[in-house]
Amino acid sequence: MPAMYSLWIVGRNGGLLYSRDFLPLPPIEFNDKLRLASSWFGMCGIAAQLSPVPDSSGIQLMQADTFDLHSFHTLTGTTFMLLTEPHTPDATELLRTTVYELYCDYVLKNPFHEMDQVVKSELFDHNLLALIGAINRRWGVGLVQQ
Amino acid sequence: MGCMTFYIFNRKGRCQYYHEWQRLKPIKQGAGSQDEDFKLMFGLCWSMRALATAVDPKNPSKQQMGAPMRIGDGCSFNSIKTSNFKLHYLESPSGLKFVLTTDPTVGSMVEQLQYIYASLFVELVAKNPLYTPGDAFLFEPFSAALNKYMRTLGLLS
């Protein structure tokens, strides 16, 4: 059954800016999260370097046994990572349109937000949860009670 | 032409076999030298594997990240995709790592890599008396069979 598990946002220098689970998941320690986010950032660079074809982007999708990890790199260097059930449809599209739009509207337009600082925006949280919650519910998967 | 390069790494991370069908970006512009390319490729696969195990949303009893893992433990990954290429990965129970890079439009190659391992590698390399496990090899029958198999998959013209 398709489901969206969590969203991570990684800054231009590889730091974790935001992470949110949409379903109850086995917890990952915060320090591990930081390390995972920055190693993902680094591995995207290495993958582009090792590419047998010129002008490769970073990693866009990793398919593992039990999950898919979609990743979207914005032009300014921010990376969005979306953890989903394998073969969840439209996840890449969702990242690069709707989630990115929410980020622009509620995070970047916030006058108190500084680039590459941790994202603390109630509106962003609220709208993101509503959006992903609606998608998950459509697939019949429950939402975490906040 | 769908397939680009193929690597086999032994369990210690040494490249045992390398073949390239097409490499539009020379290694000089990528990793620098062939040796560096092998090292980086193994490092990438190893870290991806560690990341997949650490992120795995379905395993409630995960070890801490970086803790030593047995071969085959935890969640593995099947492929990673960028805008220009796709990397397919298979780890055998003995710790051999098979890495195939192809065009990004190619679908899942899990079964095909399994076939390369079980029917080509085991039959033509592991059963070859001249093969020392863990060492680099260059056996004509294996290379020929690999090329032929890629052709039947339609990845090689």
Side-chain angles (χ1 to χ4, degrees), chain B residues 4-143:
Chain B
M4 295 168 181
T5 53
F6 181 67
Y7 304 75
I8 300 177
F9 294 101
N10 71 10
R11 68 168 104 176
K12 287 178 182 151
R14 208 174 142 233
C15 186
Q16 285 190 282
Y17 181 82
Y18 172 70
H19 186 79
E20 68 183 46
W21 288 282
Q22 67 169 356
R23 193 164 186 138
L24 300 172
K25 182 168 122 180
I27 286 175
K28 278 234 163 66
Q29 286 169 29
S33 69
Q34 188 73 78
D35 246 19
E36 284 296 308
D37 185 66
F38 292 159
K39 278 186 205 162
L40 272 178
M41 185 54 92
F42 179 79
L44 178 70
C45 294
W46 192 89
S47 326
M48 275 296 171
R49 177 82 169 70
L51 185 131
T53 309
V55 170
D56 185 6
K58 303 226 175 108
N59 180 5
S61 55
K62 276 181 293 203
Q63 282 188 319
Q64 212 184 355
M65 196 191 163
M69 271 192 309
R70 291 224 190 98
I71 292 164
D73 266 5
C75 171
S76 180
F77 76 101
N78 302 324
S79 70
I80 53 179
K81 192 168 103 174
T82 78
S83 63
N84 292 354
F85 80 107
K86 191 167 175 181
L87 182 152
H88 307 265
Y89 175 83
L90 175 84
E91 193 177 311
S92 82
S94 51
L96 291 167
K97 291 161 184 71
F98 292 76
V99 178
L100 173 71
T101 59
T102 65
D103 212 66
T105 50
V106 174
S108 169
M109 293 280 281
V110 177
E111 282 162 26
Q112 286 82 342
L113 278 177
Q114 193 73 47
Y115 177 86
I116 291 176
Y117 168 56
S119 302
L120 303 185
F121 180 83
V122 171
E123 294 300 324
L124 300 171
V125 178
K127 291 187 181 173
N128 188 327
L130 297 175
Y131 169 66
T132 324
D135 277 2
F137 62 86
L138 196 62
F139 297 146
E140 193 50 45
F142 177 72
S143 309

Side-chain angles (χ1 to χ4, degrees), chain A residues 9-25:
Chain A
I9 300 176
V10 184
R12 285 180 295 184
N13 41 24
L16 182 69
L17 304 186
Y18 180 84
S19 74
R20 164 76 60 202
D21 292 349
F22 305 113
L23 292 168
L25 298 180

Side-chain angles (χ1 to χ4, degrees), chain A residues 86-133:
Chain A
H87 309 298
T88 298
D90 307 328
T92 314
E93 213 41 43
L94 181 89
L95 264 188
R96 73 173 61 217
T97 55
T98 324
V99 173
Y100 191 30
E101 243 169 59
L102 287 180
Y103 176 76
C104 292
D105 281 350
Y106 296 114
V107 179
L108 294 185
K109 288 181 189 171
N110 180 348
F112 299 107
H113 176 72
E114 282 180 51
M115 276 306 275
D116 288 326
Q117 293 300 314
V118 176
V119 174
K120 276 186 187 153
S121 162
E122 219 171 275
L123 275 173
F124 179 62
D125 252 9
H126 183 258
N127 282 284
L128 186 72
L129 282 176
L131 171 78
I132 307 277

